């Protein structure tokens, strides 16, 4: 398996409830390393640019509002097959469908407030990582 990097976001619903450490521990326990991390507050415009791919979807405006509603923790995770591993640890988008022990099964409040975001493919991961981090900030 290849060593990959992926973007992970701990969303406002989780930072508001002080779950950052518990969520990071789940990624680290699964063998992923945090090689870059920062706590930021997105504007609605920044969230909109990041989620541009969803612009035509009915949930886009609500998603952008939510992502700008409080601090988020953006991080780069690294490890073997990191993209798939991150998605496995996160669990299904709908917490009702998420496997026990996953981040969303344990911490998500709803489909919309589902605590975490993760890249879905290598090209998406590269694009998303570069949105938030310069090469100098990734120090794995």
């Amino acid at each position: 398996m290849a060593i990959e990097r992926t973007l992970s976001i701990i969303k406002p619903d989780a930072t508001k409830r002080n779950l950052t450490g518990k969520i990071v521990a789940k990624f680290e326990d699964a063998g992923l390393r945090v090689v870059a991390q920062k706590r930021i507050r997105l504007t609605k415009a920044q969230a909109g640019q990041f989620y541009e791919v969803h612009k035509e979807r009915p949930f886009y405006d609500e998603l952008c509002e939510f992502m700008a509603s409080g601090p988020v923790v953006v991080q780069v995770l690294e490890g073997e097959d990191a993209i798939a591993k991150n998605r496995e640890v996160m669990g299904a988008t709908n917490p009702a469908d998420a496997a026990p022990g996953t981040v969303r099964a344990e911490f998500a409040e709803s489909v919309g407030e589902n605590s975490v975001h993760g890249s879905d493919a290598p090209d998406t991961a590269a694009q998303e990582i570069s949105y938030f981090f310069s090469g100098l900030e990734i120090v794995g």
Side-chain angles (χ1 to χ4, degrees):
M1 291 189 193
I3 299 294
E4 294 178 327
R5 289 182 174 162
T6 189
L7 183 80
S8 167
I9 302 176
I10 301 174
K11 295 181 178 181
D13 62 299
T15 62
K16 178 180 172 183
R17 292 178 290 138
N18 205 29
L19 297 173
T20 302
K22 290 178 182 177
I23 292 171
V24 171
K26 284 190 169 291
F27 293 128
E28 290 179 331
D29 290 348
L32 296 168
R33 291 175 22 121
V34 177
V35 296
Q37 184 182 68
K38 55 188 165 186
R39 186 179 185 93
I40 61 173
R41 177 105 187 225
L42 295 170
T43 65
K44 188 175 177 188
Q46 290 167 327
Q49 184 178 9
F50 180 77
Y51 285 108
E52 180 83 22
V53 67
H54 297 304
K55 190 169 186 146
E56 301 305 318
R57 311 275 302 261
F59 60 82
Y60 175 76
D61 285 333
E62 186 178 339
L63 173 62
C64 295
E65 281 286 335
F66 168 62
M67 291 301 289
S69 70
V72 298
V73 174
V74 291
Q75 54 193 358
V76 178
L77 303 177
E78 181 181 82
E80 287 189 19
D81 213 15
I83 295 165
K85 178 61 71 178
N86 179 39
R87 296 185 71 75
E88 178 185 321
V89 173
M90 288 191 311
T93 302
N94 184 341
D97 299 331
T102 61
V103 171
R104 289 176 172 150
E106 289 189 25
F107 304 125
E109 297 184 310
S110 67
V111 174
E113 295 186 10
N114 61 21
S115 299
V116 286
H117 164 91
S119 304
D120 62 1
D123 57 330
T124 309
Q127 178 184 3
E128 291 181 347
I129 289 168
S130 69
Y131 186 82
F132 291 107
F133 295 96
S134 74
L136 292 174
E137 295 175 296
I138 302 171
V139 293

